Amino acid sequence: MKKLMLATAAVVALSCQYAAPVQAQSTYDDTQVLLSQIQTDRRAIVLQGLGLTDNEVTKFSPIYDEYQRDHKALAERSLDVINQFAANYDSMTDDAAASIMKDWFKVADDRVALTKKYSKRLEKVLPNTKVLRWVQIENKLTALTNFEAARIVPLAK
């Protein structure tokens, strides 16, 4: 458990950079490298937290790899919303605010739908207790990332 907490702390440290586009417009390449690193760390945390048998790892890994690809796309969309906010921060209009909220809610809804989709797939290859643990671990990692984004992104003017 102590190792899991240390790994989680590493993700938190990375997530500080994940939300950085509001403070300074990072380049697309920097964002891609960062998302790749977060995905790698996330996988290690999840695998350690689940405590899977070798047979379970074999069944879990291809499904989780697909999940990570889909999750990365969501993370990129989240960054797009943050960048949209940053671009409009000093001159926020009601129309821009409405568009940003619409996009933000869509990403949030899609994140829940993604977790549901993959939990159903994982239920076919893992015991439900481990699927629940996976959902909890993913939820905690997302909460940590969201906390850092919330901490760094200022309120709208």
Side-chain angles (χ1 to χ4, degrees):
M1 189 62 162
K2 194 173 194 177
K3 289 181 183 177
L4 180 61
M5 293 306 292
L6 288 173
T8 302
V11 169
V12 170
L14 286 171
S15 67
C16 289
Q17 295 172 356
Y18 173 75
V22 169
Q23 291 180 336
Q25 296 294 319
S26 64
T27 65
Y28 180 79
D29 290 341
D30 290 343
T31 301
Q32 294 305 308
V33 169
L34 178 60
L35 287 174
S36 175
Q37 185 63 47
I38 290 171
Q39 295 297 91
T40 300
D41 291 344
R42 195 175 191 109
R43 179 184 182 79
I45 292 166
V46 167
L47 285 173
Q48 183 174 0
L50 287 177
L52 302 174
T53 66
D54 290 342
N55 186 39
E56 289 171 334
V57 169
T58 301
K59 294 175 183 176
F60 172 82
S61 291
I63 296 169
Y64 190 70
D65 290 344
E66 286 181 45
Y67 168 80
Q68 278 199 300
R69 280 191 295 276
D70 290 347
H71 188 271
K72 180 180 178 184
L74 273 178
E76 289 171 347
R77 285 178 45 209
S78 293
L79 284 175
D80 289 345
V81 173
I82 291 171
N83 284 329
Q84 183 183 5
F85 175 80
N88 288 280
Y89 182 73
D90 288 325
S91 59
M92 187 68 68
T93 64
D94 284 341
D95 288 341
S99 176
I100 291 166
M101 285 189 296
K102 177 184 170 194
D103 293 345
W104 184 83
F105 285 126
K106 179 67 174 144
V107 169
D109 291 345
D110 289 350
R111 184 172 286 120
V112 171
L114 183 70
T115 303
K116 284 182 182 180
K117 172 185 172 181
Y118 281 93
S119 67
K120 288 179 183 184
R121 288 186 63 194
L122 289 171
E123 286 174 350
K124 296 176 183 175
V125 299
L126 295 177
N128 283 333
T129 53
K130 289 190 179 181
V131 176
L132 174 59
R133 190 178 309 152
W134 172 76
V135 169
Q136 290 176 305
I137 292 167
E138 286 293 332
N139 183 56
K140 288 175 187 260
L141 292 171
T142 298
L144 289 169
T145 303
N146 288 345
F147 171 77
E148 286 303 318
R151 185 179 68 78
I152 292 170
V153 176
L155 295 175
K157 290 183 180 182

